[in-house]
Amino acid sequence: MTDLSHIRNFAIIAHIDHGKSTLADRLIQSCGGLEAREMKEQVLDSMDIERERGITIKAQTVRLAYRARDGRDYQLNLMDTPGHVDFAYEVSRSLAACEGSLLVVDASQGVEAQTLANVYQAMDAGHEIVPVLNKIDLPAAEPERIRQQIEDVIGMDASDALLISAKTGIGIDDVLEALVTRLPPPSGEAAEPLKALLVDSWYDSYLGVVILVRIKDGGLRKGARIRMMATGGVYQVDRTGFFTPKMVEVDSLGPGEVGYITAGIKTVADCQIGDTITEDRRPAAMALPGFKPSVPVVFCCLFPVDASDFELLRDSMGKLRLNDASFEFVTESSAALGMGFRCGFLGLLHMEIVQERLEREFGLDLITTAPSVVYQIHLTNGESHELHNPADMPDPAKIDHIKEPWVKATIMVPDEYLGPILTLCTDRRGIQVDLTYAGNRALVVYRLPLNEIVFDFYDRLKSISRGYASFDYEVSDYLESNLDKISILVNGEPVDALAFIAHRTQAEARGRQICARLKDLIPRHLFKIPIQAAIGGKVIARETIAAMRKDVTAKCYGGDITRKRKLLDKQKEGKKKMRQFGRVEIPQSAFINALKMSDD
């Protein structure tokens, strides 16, 4: 068992693209976690989606062996965390398993909104924080200015910040040395009853459920009988081990160590992230505090294209939920789409990633409804309830008022882009709370309706600031609003999946926008298709998709015009009948693309 004073558990936190995964690569390489032939870029981003999109989605853990300059051997447990606001829950779980953090800041870009959010999370977790300025090899790097910015914006001493380039390997030895000299060792008692924090879990088709644990007290060994304190499940441990990032089996894990266990767990529901694992015969008196549950902010319904895939979808979602605790789902049924699930996500990117993972990893074909937020409906009879799906909105005559969620948004942007950013926030019904400066960067705090930022606010923000603005938000409270449900009708039939709720002042513009978008997205049929947006019985926008025309007169060479007329009239009658009974096929891509608003 490793001496506690020789263990260091640390997380790498930073804004998106500031070099967390690259720094993790260099640390693994320096400590010999992988041989040179096994190394590849972003080695911890193991999912295809992560590598394609160039972002970290899952927090990953690695154990490294390091011999310090004083000749002692240390065990370093590294957690690489995501940077995007939609995966903040992954970050909070990783921080709970560590005692210290490396705060990585781009030496040319400086402090960003997500840097702030992650630093405050680390401070709340009681971490010792080591600032690291990355990308100092870039011509635009200004380490002295960024040091000052860290002190001004975060209020943290950055005089001893490490200067590194994760790409070229400059300063990596100093980072490793700082980990053992500046971060505290974990605390724990080997003689106490077992207390292990369940940090993460995932499904492996060969091993079943694999659990990632951080041991606080006691020890975990093969063959031990363990109990989950929250769910009461009792299991026998099959194997224990750690990642280098390859799986390495060991006989036992001691206090302060991070590793994995498998215990033949078949029921996914028994693994609750944040649960405490203890011995069955000698249980701990109290569970560890765990994590506060994540609160989903965006909801949509997922339905299988083929109704017979419903059970496969349920099973797949269970396995995915094991790996992503911030994703929630309950059964939902729709008259048009059959049986499916209403799902909760932390944001639109999170929703896209989950949908893509279900399609790729489990081979499912899915229909997604319009994403929406949760509204509070207060009825005239004094009752109130939550509305997750716009299609379930009660009759407007029975509604007294509707409340919608508002968020507190923090935006950091260079001052030359400040004007367009303020205009964007005002257009989205925002209320300015604060505006301060740190050097040439403005820190803007706005209160915004969640409904306005859920679709494409982030994309718009990035495009009008040329990628320099950064954005973070937290849900604050519910406020009363003038909201209407807009139904979309295609060929006279309402399409449940496209119904949405908008503010009264923007309902008509949004309706026109979606009708125009659908006109381009739905392929032409052999009959004319009207697309309408309606509030109740009142149509507020309309577009028409022209029919495909088949040349029925092609066989007539010359001759009497009445013969051609007869054929054209016959075709007209056929189209009329077809329009009455014909079904309009709406491609799956049209559902999401129609809802991505653009303010052009």
Side-chain angles (χ1 to χ4, degrees):
M1 205 172 283
T2 313
D3 181 357
L4 273 176
S5 64
H6 288 192
I7 298 175
R8 297 290 183 274
N9 298 319
F10 69 99
I12 303 180
I13 55 173
H15 189 75
I16 312 154
D17 279 346
H18 281 205
K20 293 177 297 299
S21 299
T22 312
L23 174 58
D25 289 354
R26 291 296 85 75
L27 295 175
I28 292 167
Q29 211 170 0
S30 298
C31 295
L34 290 172
E35 292 173 28
R37 64 186 171 78
E38 296 172 304
M39 278 305 291
K40 57 184 176 185
E41 284 190 15
Q42 281 82 43
V43 70
L44 294 184
D45 290 348
S46 52
M47 284 194 285
D48 290 342
I49 301 180
E50 290 181 312
R51 305 193 72 78
E52 283 168 26
R53 291 182 179 238
I55 56 173
T56 302
I57 294 167
K58 284 298 300 171
Q60 299 283 4
T61 172
V62 182
R63 180 189 290 193
L64 304 170
Y66 172 62
R67 174 156 287 181
R69 288 170 188 163
D70 62 5
R72 292 184 190 173
D73 288 323
Y74 286 88
Q75 181 196 116
L76 307 177
N77 291 310
L78 148 72
M79 295 266 187
D80 178 27
T81 62
H84 197 283
V85 62
D86 280 19
F87 306 111
Y89 192 60
E90 287 286 326
V91 180
S92 69
R93 298 206 327 251
S94 302
L95 297 180
C98 306
E99 285 77 37
S101 299
L102 290 179
L103 169 66
V104 180
V105 180
D106 186 319
S108 58
Q109 303 255 332
V111 176
E112 306 266 18
Q114 206 53 38
T115 317
L116 281 176
N118 289 342
V119 166
Y120 294 145
Q121 269 191 313
M123 287 174 173
D124 290 345
H127 277 206
E128 187 67 40
I129 299 170
V130 177
V132 176
L133 300 186
N134 190 18
K135 308 191 185 182
I136 57 159
D137 55 324
L138 294 181
E142 300 175 80
E144 290 313 311
R145 183 176 70 80
I146 304 303
R147 267 190 179 140
Q148 191 57 46
Q149 197 183 51
I150 291 174
E151 289 181 10
D152 293 345
V153 178
I154 301 174
M156 195 170 95
D157 178 23
S159 55
D160 54 356
L162 304 169
L163 301 180
I164 70 159
S165 163
K167 194 173 180 182
T168 58
I170 300 167
I172 297 299
D173 289 345
D174 296 337
V175 174
L176 288 164
E177 204 56 33
L179 288 171
V180 299
T181 55
R182 288 164 65 175
L183 295 188
S187 58
E189 293 294 331
E192 291 283 309
L194 169 68
K195 260 191 197 177
L197 179 67
L198 200 160
V199 181
D200 200 0
S201 58
W202 59 94
Y203 191 82
D204 184 292
S205 47
Y206 299 106
L207 304 173
V209 177
V210 181
I211 297 176
L212 184 69
V213 292
R214 157 69 205 273
I215 314 283
K216 296 283 187 184
D217 291 318
L220 247 181
R221 55 183 50 78
K222 277 185 200 171
R225 284 184 72 74
I226 56 166
R227 180 191 297 167
M228 311 284 187
M229 289 184 82
T231 57
V234 176
Y235 297 98
Q236 187 158 354
V237 178
D238 299 333
R239 65 185 73 198
T240 55
F242 56 85
F243 295 96
T244 69
K246 292 183 290 189
M247 276 183 152
V248 176
E249 271 196 62
V250 288
D251 289 333
S252 65
L253 294 168
E257 295 191 319
V258 177
Y260 72 87
I261 61 167
T262 63
I265 298 170
K266 297 287 184 289
T267 48
V268 166
D270 274 2
C271 292
Q272 283 188 9
I273 303 295
D275 194 359
T276 304
I277 298 173
T278 188
E279 287 174 68
D280 186 33
R281 289 202 183 133
R282 194 171 65 127
M286 275 177 67
L288 295 162
F291 313 119
K292 66 171 193 255
S294 67
V295 181
V297 293
V298 180
F299 289 83
C300 82
C301 296
L302 294 177
F303 295 94
V305 171
D306 182 350
S308 60
D309 284 343
F310 176 72
E311 283 305 323
L312 174 61
L313 178 60
R314 186 202 296 275
D315 191 39
S316 307
M317 283 185 165
K319 288 174 180 172
L320 201 60
R321 167 109 176 64
L322 192 65
N323 188 226
D324 182 354
S326 52
F327 162 54
E328 295 182 1
F329 62 91
V330 292
T331 315
E332 173 89 17
S333 67
S334 149
L337 300 167
M339 293 292 286
F341 294 92
R342 190 179 74 239
C343 309
F345 307 93
L346 296 182
L348 213 61
L349 175 68
H350 186 208
M351 184 185 107
E352 276 185 43
I353 296 291
V354 167
Q355 187 191 337
E356 206 168 320
R357 285 185 69 185
L358 285 167
E359 288 177 350
R360 282 184 186 210
E361 294 173 27
F362 303 100
L364 287 156
D365 229 352
L366 301 171
I367 292 174
T368 316
T369 63
S372 79
V373 299
V374 178
Y375 298 95
Q376 289 178 352
I377 307 280
H378 294 263
L379 303 174
T380 47
N381 64 3
E383 288 179 21
S384 67
H385 61 84
E386 291 191 337
L387 178 75
H388 291 266
N389 188 348
D392 301 335
M393 188 141 159
D395 178 8
K398 294 179 182 171
I399 298 172
D400 181 49
H401 63 275
I402 304 174
K403 287 186 172 181
E404 65 175 334
W406 283 62
V407 300
K408 181 182 166 197
T410 310
I411 301 166
M412 289 201 74
V413 61
D415 53 9
E416 66 257 38
Y417 303 111
L418 185 60
I421 297 283
L422 296 181
T423 308
L424 173 69
C425 291
T426 311
D427 289 348
R428 300 291 174 104
R429 300 190 281 132
I431 301 163
Q432 191 173 318
V433 177
D434 196 12
L435 173 58
T436 50
Y437 277 87
N440 69 336
R441 291 173 78 82
L443 176 66
V444 194
V445 180
Y446 255 89
R447 296 192 64 221
L448 286 155
L450 183 59
N451 187 21
E452 297 288 341
I453 63 170
V454 103
F455 287 111
D456 63 342
F457 181 82
Y458 190 68
D459 297 345
R460 295 284 308 140
L461 188 80
K462 283 291 183 195
S463 66
I464 60 180
S465 67
R466 301 200 180 159
Y468 285 108
S470 60
F471 169 66
D472 182 49
Y473 68 87
E474 57 183 75
V475 178
S476 55
D477 53 5
Y478 275 78
L479 296 175
E480 196 175 323
S481 247
N482 286 329
L483 300 165
D484 283 320
K485 173 192 163 188
I486 291 102
S487 308
I488 302 292
L489 294 92
V490 176
N491 201 23
E493 293 288 321
V495 181
D496 271 3
L498 290 172
F500 65 97
I501 290 173
H503 194 263
R504 203 157 290 165
T505 55
Q506 295 165 338
E508 195 174 320
R510 290 271 168 100
R512 284 180 194 281
Q513 224 171 15
I514 287 201
C515 287
R517 193 68 66 87
L518 282 171
K519 186 182 176 183
D520 297 334
L521 293 167
I522 296 175
R524 287 167 71 181
H525 287 52
L526 289 168
F527 51 94
K528 203 160 62 175
I529 305 169
I531 300 168
Q532 297 161 307
I535 298 175
K538 182 186 170 193
V539 173
I540 55 168
R542 173 180 169 133
E543 293 282 349
T544 307
I545 301 174
M548 272 161 55
R549 184 136 189 201
K550 182 183 174 190
D551 188 2
V552 288
T553 60
K555 295 201 278 295
C556 303
Y557 297 107
D560 189 1
I561 187 71
T562 52
R563 195 159 156 240
K564 287 187 181 177
R565 285 261 162 79
K566 205 168 167 187
L567 287 167
L568 289 168
D569 288 345
K570 200 172 169 188
Q571 182 186 37
K572 204 189 250 177
E573 281 301 309
K575 288 198 172 179
K576 200 171 169 187
K577 193 172 179 185
M578 208 187 269
R579 192 176 148 200
Q580 224 172 337
F581 302 109
R583 280 185 62 89
V584 179
E585 292 295 327
I586 304 177
Q588 169 55 25
S589 58
F591 285 98
I592 279 285
N593 290 335
L595 294 153
K596 285 195 171 162
M597 302 293 172
S598 70
D599 297 351
D600 304 338

